Amino acid sequence: MHRRAFIKNSCTACLSLSALSTLVSGCVVTKYIPGTLGKDGLTVSKDDFKIKQKGGTAYSSFIIVRNDALLFPVCIYRFNDNEYKALWMQCTHQGNELQASGDVLQCPAHGSEFNNKGYVVHGPAITNLKSFPVTVMNNELFIDLRKQS
Ligand code: FES
């Protein structure tokens, strides 16, 4: 094979793999659960983050608790088995509901973005998201809705 043809074929293969990778990562399904709402907060299972795959179990980086008794959903990010962040999905600009897109929460109203710790990364919002303390108890997470962390 000539050098030019080799480079052309290699670049085509690399671009194809990149495009496929982007498509696959874009197909991650967001998991919604109701959680168990008690007097002081929400309880969810660590198992709610599990994704069954061929050859083992993986973990979703986040799940969304959507419960009719709550005005807005709560997005829970998983950093490892013992570290989580629970974020109130209400934009701090003008109060619209946010949408989760991987590790970013986006506002469809005017484009504000927040990272998975709740910090503003793109305005017009200037205030970070409301977040709640998460307590890990055996296989469950308790999100205390009475307090902000
Ligand atoms: S309400 Fe979210 S950016 Fe304006």
Side-chain angles (χ1 to χ4, degrees):
M1 183 182 291
H2 294 289
R3 184 172 178 266
R4 184 172 293 205
F6 174 77
I7 291 171
K8 184 179 173 189
N9 288 344
S10 297
C11 288
T12 303
C14 285
L15 287 173
S16 300
L17 282 175
S18 297
L20 182 63
S21 161
T22 302
L23 282 174
V24 170
S25 67
C27 290
V28 173
V29 177
T30 300
K31 186 172 185 180
Y32 294 91
I33 61 164
T36 303
L37 188 60
K39 185 170 68 78
D40 300 328
L42 278 168
T43 304
V44 301
S45 171
K46 283 183 176 180
D47 292 341
D48 290 326
F49 289 86
K50 284 185 178 175
I51 303 167
K52 288 179 186 148
Q53 289 183 335
K54 251 186 186 172
T57 302
Y59 292 88
S60 175
S61 63
F62 70 96
I63 57 174
I64 295 177
V65 178
R66 187 180 285 284
N67 188 304
D68 290 343
L70 297 173
L71 288 176
F72 287 89
V74 175
C75 187
I76 306 171
Y77 282 100
R78 179 188 189 275
F79 301 101
N80 58 52
D81 198 43
N82 291 305
E83 192 184 352
Y84 298 84
K85 188 81 178 178
L87 301 172
W88 188 242
M89 293 180 72
Q90 181 181 25
C91 183
T92 56
H93 179 230
Q94 290 181 356
N96 279 66
E97 185 172 318
L98 300 172
Q99 297 172 341
S101 177
D103 288 341
V104 176
L105 294 171
Q106 299 170 324
C107 183
H110 313 106
S112 287
E113 292 185 353
F114 305 85
N115 68 14
N116 58 9
K117 302 271 186 180
Y119 297 121
V120 177
V121 292
H122 190 269
I126 54 170
T127 306
N128 297 330
L129 293 179
K130 190 170 162 181
S131 66
F132 306 100
V134 180
T135 306
V136 181
M137 299 175 299
N138 300 319
N139 201 42
E140 290 188 331
L141 307 178
F142 176 70
I143 294 102
D144 193 336
L145 298 177
R146 299 167 301 175
K147 303 173 187 166
Q148 287 187 44
S149 58

